[in-house]
Amino acid sequence: MSTSTQLYQQYLEQIQKIADLRYASAVLQWDQETYLPPKGAAYRGQQIATLSETAHDWFVQDAFGQLLQELSAADQLDPDQKMNVTRTLEDYERQKKCPSAFVRKLSEATNQSFHSWIKARKENDFSVFKADLDTLVALKKEEAAMLGYADHPYDALLDDHDKGSTVAQLDPLFRALRIPLKNLLDKIKAATPIDNSILKQYFPSARQWDLGLQVIKHMGYDMEAGRQDLAEHPFSINFNNKDVRVTTRIDENDLGNMLWSCIHEAGHALYEQGLPDGQYGLPLGEPASYTIHESQSRLWENHVGRSEGFIHHYFPLFKEYFPEQFSHTDADGLYRAINKVEPSLIRTEADELTYHFHVMIRYEIEKSLLDGTISAADVPALWNEQYEKFLGITVPDDKMGCLQDVHWSHGSFGYFPTYSLGSLYACQFFHYAKKDLPQFEADIARGDFAPLLNWLRKKVHAEGRRYTSGELCRKIGGESLQPDYFLDYLLVKYSKIYHF
Ligand code: ZN
């Protein structure tokens, strides 16, 4: 055995042990958001903090750093091995900047915040969460300072979710979206409104659950390598590519809420089930970025799930599940209902257009929290003011307003922009898939998702974390992110639906 091979073997052993800790911690987190009894929260926080701290400790050991340095100079590694070493060394240099004690402190603080967020939502009172949010923001500022940034502290956190993403890039991108989206929204507001009351009838929970599962299985979600549970805030999570779980939330008075959130989470899960085998715990076994992750969920949710072909194919099945509820409409009525555009309060239920205003509002608030322009106490008023300004709606209370998303309670600052970026990439990838697979819209209309899934597997999933979001996009389509794909797509879609 050559020295390089031996060193790589040592690297594998070490990094996979660290992965065991990280994924064990993820199992505890999954349990916390699905089944944990409330009184178990305190020790659960401690358990997760210990695992996070230990994983971090093992990762930033000087000896591991030395091993990575030696490996990056080794000449007998194959390209995949080299890539794993390069990405791990980047992670090492980044994580090395944060001491383990800080990682523990942050983990404990996020745990406490998560529970106070739950309590605040229950009591519909932001003030219950306010102090914990201030603590978290202070810690995130500290983290940004440790990680370093050129222009804005938020850049350091954005980089965690989408490598290379900065305020300097996102500000103009959001500016470029704001006016065309507002103009399109005005045209839609002037058109005859769509009646989506068929989706807002009574749909019994158990039937909804079964329908959601059936659809995600059709999409290709492997139930032998996953499972679905209920959660307050739907999410997907993986412990390796053979155990990728999804969660959903059921509102008995809104079928759309459950079904398109199932499709969304399954889109995330298909990505993780499609990550390469034999790369457990390694960068090539991980997703490219949060943005690319979101591109996969948004692609399935919107470009597939809200398409005419999909709705026409599934309408008979929906009718089988809910004969009475769908007795007075046809597939076209359902297609229009599920694509109704209307400013609303809840991001996860927003249509494809107004969704981005929700994201932009959060982006502006996060930036201001991080650069100290505002503090947690200012969030509710600013939130409500922005909803009035951009969406023209009045926020009735905190639960429907600034307490709706779990992200801040998790300490996830810099996550929201990936939702908009992901949607833009989704649109662009869908365009490329259509070019490569001329039949594939007809395939979707027949309920055959395999050609699209195989295309995504090959072009996106199989690459793991080899490329940044932008590099992956250029590799697939030969160009960088172009918001015009998305703007054109919306214009074509809605001018047909709203007749203008
Ligand atoms: Zn998502």
Side-chain angles (χ1 to χ4, degrees):
M1 226 193 315
S2 75
T3 328
S4 304
T5 316
Q6 280 170 337
L7 287 176
Y8 194 79
Q9 205 53 43
Q10 279 178 38
Y11 156 77
L12 273 186
E13 276 169 31
Q14 179 79 357
I15 198 152
Q16 291 188 338
K17 267 189 201 168
I18 296 166
D20 292 341
L21 289 180
R22 285 196 291 117
Y23 290 122
S25 170
V27 176
L28 294 183
Q29 267 157 16
W30 167 82
D31 175 71
Q32 166 164 279
E33 295 192 29
T34 48
Y35 296 107
L36 183 74
K39 288 181 181 169
Y43 284 112
R44 176 53 50 86
Q46 183 181 314
Q47 291 157 351
I48 292 174
T50 297
L51 287 175
S52 309
E53 187 188 16
T54 312
H56 184 264
D57 264 347
W58 289 5
F59 192 75
V60 298
Q61 273 168 8
D62 291 338
F64 189 53
Q66 247 162 28
L67 175 64
L68 291 170
Q69 293 289 359
E70 278 175 56
L71 269 171
S72 64
D75 48 12
Q76 283 163 316
L77 300 181
D78 68 34
D80 281 0
Q81 292 174 330
K82 270 200 169 69
M83 182 52 70
N84 277 328
V85 171
T86 305
R87 291 278 175 263
T88 308
L89 189 57
E90 287 165 8
D91 295 343
Y92 174 83
E93 279 160 2
R94 196 173 159 80
Q95 288 201 27
K96 189 84 181 161
K97 294 176 180 167
C98 296
S100 295
F102 176 80
V103 172
R104 183 180 188 98
K105 210 161 116 188
L106 187 60
S107 173
E108 282 169 348
T110 52
N111 204 269
Q112 189 182 321
S113 298
F114 175 70
H115 294 288
S116 74
W117 172 74
I118 296 271
K119 190 163 177 269
R121 271 175 65 79
K122 226 173 246 161
E123 295 173 18
N124 199 357
D125 181 2
F126 177 79
S127 69
V128 173
F129 178 53
K130 185 178 78 79
D132 283 333
L133 181 57
D134 267 328
T135 307
L136 268 187
V137 170
L139 286 169
K140 293 310 260 189
K141 280 185 192 166
E142 216 181 304
E143 187 183 0
M146 286 188 240
L147 293 171
Y149 52 86
D151 295 322
H152 196 288
Y154 193 43
D155 291 348
L157 308 179
L158 287 169
D159 199 63
D160 250 350
H161 295 88
D162 193 24
K163 204 166 116 193
S165 217
T166 59
V167 167
Q169 286 172 353
L170 289 176
D171 277 351
L173 181 84
F174 281 128
R175 262 201 306 276
L177 289 177
R178 203 167 286 151
I179 292 174
L181 289 182
K182 178 79 174 64
N183 291 344
L184 187 53
L185 181 59
D186 287 342
K187 275 191 188 166
I188 291 171
K189 278 179 167 169
T192 314
I194 286 174
D195 175 8
N196 68 345
S197 58
I198 47 163
L199 288 165
K200 313 286 178 187
Q201 306 172 74
Y202 176 69
F203 295 93
S205 170
R207 302 289 290 163
Q208 283 203 43
W209 175 266
D210 291 346
L211 176 61
L213 267 184
Q214 192 168 345
V215 170
I216 68 174
K217 280 187 218 164
H218 288 172
M219 285 165 59
Y221 177 65
D222 179 1
M223 293 298 291
E224 299 282 307
R227 54 177 289 126
Q228 181 173 267
D229 297 88
L230 290 172
E232 170 91 10
H233 197 292
F235 65 95
S236 68
I237 192 165
N238 89 89
F239 314 128
N240 58 71
N241 71 349
K242 302 287 181 270
D243 186 354
V244 181
R245 305 190 185 186
V246 289
T247 60
T248 192
R249 156 170 78 185
I250 294 179
D251 176 347
E252 289 198 308
N253 299 306
D254 185 356
L255 180 68
N257 193 329
M258 178 283 306
L259 194 52
W260 278 268
S261 125
C262 278
I263 297 172
H264 179 99
E265 295 310 329
H268 280 300
L270 287 172
Y271 186 11
E272 300 201 320
Q273 287 184 337
L275 289 168
D277 285 333
Q279 300 284 346
Y280 171 71
L282 301 168
L284 286 181
E286 291 174 344
S289 66
Y290 286 91
T291 292
I292 296 302
H293 227 305
E294 204 56 27
S295 78
Q296 300 305 289
S297 56
R298 302 283 290 170
L299 187 148
W300 285 98
E301 178 191 354
N302 296 328
H303 296 272
V304 177
R306 289 182 210 274
S307 70
E308 248 176 316
F310 181 93
I311 301 291
H312 278 259
H313 173 73
Y314 273 108
F315 187 72
L317 181 74
F318 296 169
K319 219 172 158 171
E320 246 175 65
Y321 271 86
F322 302 108
E324 253 176 60
Q325 291 88 332
F326 287 120
S327 59
H328 299 297
T329 192
D330 56 11
D332 211 49
L334 178 61
Y335 172 67
R336 289 167 57 77
I338 196 62
N339 284 298
K340 179 185 171 89
V341 173
E342 186 178 46
S344 62
L345 291 162
I346 305 293
R347 175 185 60 85
T348 54
E349 294 164 21
D351 56 78
E352 288 177 76
L353 191 166
T354 58
Y355 187 85
H356 300 283
F357 290 110
H358 294 261
V359 173
M360 288 182 228
I361 292 169
R362 287 153 178 78
Y363 168 70
E364 294 298 334
I365 292 178
E366 288 193 344
K367 259 194 330 185
S368 307
L369 282 169
L370 264 297
D371 68 18
T373 320
I374 61 166
S375 71
D378 303 315
V379 168
L382 185 58
W383 181 285
N384 300 351
E385 183 195 306
Q386 300 276 308
Y387 268 76
E388 199 72 66
K389 184 174 160 198
F390 287 107
L391 290 161
I393 50 174
T394 306
V395 178
D397 54 36
D398 294 340
K399 198 174 171 189
M400 302 294 276
C402 61
L403 283 177
Q404 67 183 268
D405 293 301
V406 72
H407 305 62
W408 294 341
S409 82
H410 279 168
S412 292
F413 295 88
Y415 199 131
F416 286 116
T418 70
Y419 291 136
S420 283
L421 291 171
S423 304
L424 302 184
Y425 279 117
C427 190
Q428 214 162 321
F429 292 162
F430 198 75
H431 171 85
Y432 299 143
K434 230 189 299 193
K435 272 211 306 210
D436 284 355
L437 310 163
Q439 286 303 311
F440 101 122
E441 280 184 305
D443 293 334
I444 292 174
R446 276 187 294 114
D448 182 2
F449 305 118
L452 174 62
L453 181 57
N454 290 336
W455 187 90
L456 292 170
R457 289 266 194 257
K458 198 168 129 221
K459 300 282 181 176
V460 180
H461 306 180
E463 298 291 5
R465 192 146 67 90
R466 192 185 304 274
Y467 304 109
T468 64
S469 311
E471 287 166 354
L472 183 65
C473 186
R474 281 190 290 279
K475 168 111 194 314
I476 299 173
E479 53 191 348
S480 55
L481 185 65
Q482 308 289 334
D484 281 352
Y485 280 107
F486 180 66
L487 293 170
D488 291 347
Y489 154 78
L490 287 188
L491 187 62
V492 169
K493 179 169 184 172
Y494 292 128
S495 59
K496 213 173 140 204
I497 293 176
Y498 280 94
H499 310 295
F500 54 79

